[in-house]
């Protein structure tokens, strides 16, 4: 048995970056105090989800990696001796930005990063304006607590991404996320969307026999002042085991720190019982490299 | 709006092939009476799940397609003017057999077939002994009610299979299935297994924006006489829409005929709202054609 206590932070964000980071730090300390050696933050946790509109001024929020925010997070990882997975709007060069997850080792060094590969773009989530699709591929980050298959938000809808992480030796899948309901979303659609989102991520755990953490934000964030319009981030962060079974689950509205003890050796047991990796028909998969088959 | 009433049959099987087929026919008639234009049968519905043991005598159960059982099913499809998806142990040549789904058109003709591509083999499910992996690939069968992405049982654990059907223009995914608990399975594991099985199939609906039907068998089938050992087929057949939402769901123990009205035009709506097909990173998927990445 090879166990790992893992935690995640579900929080809301205001315009005050320093206060957001401070609240993240408090939550990370709580997770560490509960024994977490690995802590996952939500997507773009330094501030409100700025992709609700296309605004060139928002590029000022981007930072290099390493940079000021990554330095603060690295210090915290080193102080608490944890592996920390954070999410930063990366300024790689003028006019070239990514939605990047950074993995800090227990000594505060950068163990690796993942640049979001699948970029959404739909009303309220104008990410194609801000983020160039990642060029690092689907590669787990090797850390002292295991190989972390870090993916980001929209990636969670693509079984291909999780599979490639599993085939590359990931021990866990991690999804920093920012997803919610548009205020215009009819009430009847909301539970369907939330359930679909939970279900597809649990399915990646199942298909690959891997535990999975997903950290989502909470709270209402207006599109702009005084319209009443905006996004209601739906929380519901969770940790599941390699059969998709819930180990911990957060609510819809409140900030929460979730932790769970994960038995990493269960992956081998589960994969022996349901040996999907044995039976993939790689001789018949080549058209997965097409957008469509006419 | 383009609607289709679809149905499925969840049944138990005895050693009496004629009686099994008769009971299937009665259930198919019930589904048709409820307006079903498409009916799905469970995997290998002509008899008990013979793959619990490796026994050369069981090859006598195989039939050519077309053959006697397919002829009976074709007649029924023509009589009821329905599209019928059946599952037959196919004898292709001496020593060459497949686990094959056959799709009958409303006039009784064979619209097409699918040969199970992913073949399981684990205690109680010795399918690699009986079935050569399919060589027809993942191709939907074009019918008067839509393009049917027919897959079989073990295929349901592989997101690649569902994705290839979707990329090939499938309008629905269909899974004839025979899955259950071994009598040795600890009670605590049973709900996890059932939930994982339901979840991963719902995820294929979600990932691809397609409705999905899964027909599973019910009932206890002993491995051999007087041991008390065997498989408890867990039923729980279901029909879901393109967000994985349940339209109909059967119980664990009883024979049932499920029907649901499916709005096929919802696929377009759902795919517009969550346009996953737009954003697949086919430039970064080539290692899906590997068994593992070292």
């Amino acid at each position: 048995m090879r166990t790992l206590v893992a935690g995640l932070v579900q929080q809301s964000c205001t315009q005050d970056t320093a206060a957001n980071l401070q609240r993240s730090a408090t939550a990370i300390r709580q997770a560490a105090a509960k024994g977490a050696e690995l802590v996952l933050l939500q997507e773009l946790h330094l501030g409100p989800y700025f992709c609700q509109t296309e605004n060139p001024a928002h590029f000022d929020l981007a930072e290099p990696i390493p940079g000021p925010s990554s330095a603060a997070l690295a210090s915290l990882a080193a102080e608490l001796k944890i592996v920390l997975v954070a999410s930063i709007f990366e300024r790689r060069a003028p006019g070239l930005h990514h939605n990047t997850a950074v993995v800090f080792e227990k000594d505060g060094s950068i163990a690796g990063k993942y640049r979001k590969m699948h970029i959404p773009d739909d009303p309220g989530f104008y990410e194609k304006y801000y983020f160039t699709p990642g060029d690092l591929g689907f590669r787990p980050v090797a850390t002292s607590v295991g190989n972390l298959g870090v993916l980001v938000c929209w990636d969670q809808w693509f079984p291909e991404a999780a599979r490639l992480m599993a085939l590359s030796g990931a021990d866990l899948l991690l999804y920093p996320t920012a997803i919610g309901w548009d205020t215009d979303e009819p009430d009847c659609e909301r539970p369907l969307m939330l359930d679909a989102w939970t279900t597809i991520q649990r399915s990646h755990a199942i298909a690959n026999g891997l535990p999975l953490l997903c950290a989502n934000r909470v709270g209402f964030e207006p599109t702009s002042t005084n319209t009443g319009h905006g996004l209601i981030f739906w929380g519901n962060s969770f940790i599941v085991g390699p059969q998709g079974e819930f180990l911990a689950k957060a609510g819809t509205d409140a900030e929460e720190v979730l932790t769970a003890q994960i038995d990493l050796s269960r992956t081998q047991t589960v994969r022996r019982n349901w040996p999907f990796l044995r039976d993939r028909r790689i001789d018949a998969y080549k058209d997965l490299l097409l957008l469509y088959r006419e």
Side-chain angles (χ1 to χ4, degrees), chain A residues 12-13 52 181 183 218-223 227-233:
Chain A
S12 59
C13 288
Q52 282 203 57
W181 299 293
T183 39
V218 284
F220 173 69
E221 296 183 12
T223 306
T227 62
H229 191 83
L231 292 174
I232 305 157
F233 291 95

Side-chain angles (χ1 to χ4, degrees), chain A residues 114 138-142 146-152 161-162 165-166 169-176 210-213:
Chain A
Y114 167 79
F138 302 97
R139 292 280 177 188
V141 175
N147 294 324
L148 305 187
V150 181
L151 296 160
V152 178
M165 286 295 188
D171 296 307
L172 294 100
L173 298 172
L174 299 96
Y175 292 89
L210 290 177
L212 183 152
L213 289 82

Side-chain angles (χ1 to χ4, degrees), chain A residues 66-214:
Chain A
S69 294
S70 79
L73 292 158
S75 297
L76 192 62
E79 178 200 327
L80 300 172
K81 296 186 177 54
I82 59 167
V83 173
L84 178 62
V85 181
S87 168
I88 290 178
F89 181 17
E90 180 186 6
R91 180 185 189 277
R92 189 172 177 187
L96 182 60
H97 301 79
H98 297 285
N99 185 328
T100 301
V102 189
V103 181
F104 301 99
E105 248 306 347
K106 292 179 177 179
D107 62 2
S109 63
I110 291 179
K113 60 191 173 185
Y114 167 79
R115 292 187 177 126
K116 187 171 182 176
M117 291 285 285
H118 299 97
I119 307 294
D121 197 285
D122 51 277
F125 297 85
Y126 299 105
E127 294 199 17
K128 288 194 196 294
Y129 175 68
Y130 294 103
F131 310 125
T132 294
D135 60 344
L136 298 177
F138 302 97
R139 292 280 177 188
V141 175
T143 75
S144 57
V145 298
N147 294 324
L148 305 187
V150 181
L151 296 160
V152 178
C153 203
W154 192 238
D155 292 319
Q156 65 210 175
W157 299 99
F158 298 82
E160 292 91 342
R163 182 68 98 199
L164 284 165
M165 286 295 188
L167 297 182
S168 306
D171 296 307
L172 294 100
L173 298 172
L174 299 96
Y175 292 89
T177 299
I179 194 169
W181 299 293
D182 191 288
T183 39
D184 290 338
E185 205 66 57
D187 281 351
C188 61
E189 292 292 334
R190 296 183 186 194
L192 281 186
M193 294 167 72
L194 171 57
D195 190 36
W197 172 81
T198 309
T199 299
I200 199 157
Q201 291 180 88
R202 291 177 61 214
S203 84
H204 304 324
I206 297 163
N208 298 293
L210 290 177
L212 183 152
L213 289 82
C214 171

